[in-house]
Amino acid sequence: MTDAVLEEASRANVGKDGADGKDSTVPGPSGADSTVAGPPGPAGQNATGAPGKDGTDGTDGKPASSWTFQYGGATYTCAPVEGFDPDDPRYECTSPESSPDPTPSPSVLGLPADRRRS
């Protein structure tokens, strides 16, 4: 028999559709986790709050009482000069260590030209 003859014979033996089946009371298997990422979510919403107020300025602090730094392999300590005036602060820097260059240049200390000692 040929395919066409078989197809025609199978159509001749087709009956009516059966009645719908009842829903199952047994749950089906759970789905497997996907390794494919889902679609992107909606774009975020821009902040709608008003900017805050600027803070108030703080008060001026006191001049430094002393500090240390290293230069040319030596450690220097800077302290206020005798008769220190906080409105016109002046400092003297010394090093208790021996050094090939015991006195740093005033420009290294960041002093303005009119405050440098020779």
Side-chain angles (χ1 to χ4, degrees):
M1 290 187 137
T2 65
D3 287 337
V5 172
L6 286 175
E7 189 175 322
E8 176 128 359
S10 66
R11 273 193 246 149
N13 294 327
V14 174
K16 295 186 206 173
D17 289 342
D20 289 341
K22 294 183 181 181
D23 289 339
S24 173
T25 57
V26 178
S30 63
D33 289 340
S34 175
T35 57
V36 178
Q45 188 175 19
N46 292 336
T48 57
K53 292 191 297 183
D54 289 343
T56 57
D57 289 341
T59 57
D60 290 340
K62 296 179 181 178
S65 59
S66 67
W67 70 91
T68 60
F69 67 96
Q70 291 186 334
Y71 176 74
T75 299
Y76 294 88
T77 301
C78 299
V81 297
E82 192 173 326
F84 183 77
D85 178 5
D87 294 326
D88 187 22
R90 294 175 186 242
Y91 296 84
E92 181 176 26
C93 298
T94 58
S95 174
E97 303 170 2
S98 62
S99 165
D101 184 12
T103 307
S105 80
S107 63
V108 170
L109 296 176
L111 298 175
D114 63 331
R115 300 184 99 173
R116 296 178 189 160
R117 294 188 204 178
S118 300

